[in-house]
Amino acid sequence: MYICICKAIREREVDAAVRAGARRPSDVFRACGKSPQCGTCACDMRERIAHTIAHERTTQTLLAAD
Ligand code: FES
């Protein structure tokens, strides 16, 4: 699914950028080699970034518990 329609950035690309250290939409655009256009996606992108960070933390916690 696309998070950013203008620049064709998908959820999986946001996730990859977060795993590489992105924490803000501007970081994601930079990681994808693109720049924002209309900005409509900023809220959804922030939510996806937060979701992916939470998922990564949960996964790391579960792996550390093993
Ligand atoms: S939807 Fe992302 S810049 Fe327009």
Side-chain angles (χ1 to χ4, degrees):
M1 185 172 143
Y2 286 101
I3 295 288
C4 174
I5 303 299
C6 294
K7 298 297 178 163
I9 298 174
R10 298 170 193 251
E11 288 175 335
R12 64 177 181 239
E13 293 168 285
V14 175
D15 296 348
V18 169
R19 285 193 289 274
R23 293 296 178 265
R24 299 173 298 175
S26 60
D27 298 334
V28 173
F29 279 104
R30 193 172 308 113
C32 294
K34 300 174 180 178
S35 55
Q37 190 170 326
C38 73
T40 302
C41 59
C43 186
D44 288 342
M45 195 175 289
R46 281 191 205 95
E47 286 180 14
R48 185 67 190 189
I49 290 167
H51 167 86
T52 304
I53 290 170
H55 182 265
E56 290 293 310
R57 285 184 180 151
T58 301
T59 301
Q60 289 172 359
T61 301
L62 291 172
L63 290 174
D66 281 343

